[in-house]
Amino acid sequence: AWAPGFSFGIGIGRIGCLLWGCCHGAVSAWPWALTYPRGSIAWFQHFDRGEIAVGAASSLLVHPLPLYLFSMEFALGFFLLWFRGRKAYDGQVLLAFLLLHGTFKYLLEYFRDPVHWMHQTVLPIAMVAGLVLLVVWARRGTASRLPAMSSART
């Protein structure tokens, strides 16, 4: 029951990431790339790597990773709300959340600067755990819905 709300909550938190600049993306030339002001985390990172001068007013153009993550979280939240009414067994929505959230976030993490080893390690574990549990619980749920075989056959 909490998976859709959790996804929306994380999505709202991404607006804070966008405003603070903590989860900025990699340098980008895409038309929707954005810059962060002098003194931001992105600016300091670019300055430390020698990519901008000390007098630069802003960071380099970067992927708006928090907006990508916000969009992913809200799309996933709406999908889970829709899916909740169509679930085949208890726990299926949570498992779908683990599998889909892990997969999509893992893919979006390649836009992060720098790519962090923890994201590339923990997210695949969540993806695999969600997939394994989804399959196991689906089999268990299917088996429990089959008609019971009577042992009193004559």
Side-chain angles (χ1 to χ4, degrees):
W2 63 266
F6 187 72
S7 192
F8 289 128
I10 295 171
I12 291 169
R14 295 300 175 186
I15 299 301
C17 292
L18 178 68
L19 296 175
W20 184 250
C22 57
C23 301
H24 64 86
V27 174
S28 171
W30 291 6
W32 54 84
L34 51 84
T35 62
Y36 286 96
R38 178 184 173 89
S40 65
I41 295 169
W43 186 91
F44 276 113
Q45 189 173 27
H46 295 160
F47 174 72
D48 288 344
R49 292 192 305 222
E51 297 171 334
I52 58 175
V54 70
S58 64
S59 69
L60 299 173
L61 287 166
V62 296
H63 283 283
L65 179 62
L67 291 180
Y68 299 165
L69 294 168
F70 170 85
S71 301
M72 182 271 296
E73 296 292 355
F74 267 70
L76 180 58
F78 284 119
F79 169 77
L80 293 172
L81 285 175
W82 172 84
F83 185 62
R84 192 171 66 180
R86 290 155 183 79
K87 67 181 177 161
Y89 54 89
D90 290 337
Q92 189 176 23
V93 175
L94 174 61
L95 296 177
F97 168 80
L98 288 174
L99 178 64
L100 295 173
H101 185 269
T103 301
F104 293 134
K105 191 158 187 303
Y106 177 79
L107 295 173
L108 287 174
E109 285 299 318
Y110 285 100
F111 290 101
R112 184 180 295 274
D113 183 25
V115 174
H116 195 276
W117 69 268
M118 184 187 73
H119 294 114
Q120 300 305 319
T121 305
V122 173
L123 292 172
I125 292 170
M127 292 166 19
V128 170
L131 182 59
V132 167
L133 291 172
L134 195 62
V135 169
V136 168
W137 284 9
R139 286 187 177 172
R140 181 184 299 163
T142 303
S144 67
R145 288 190 298 269
L146 294 175
M149 297 297 290
S150 174
S151 60
R153 285 190 182 196
T154 56

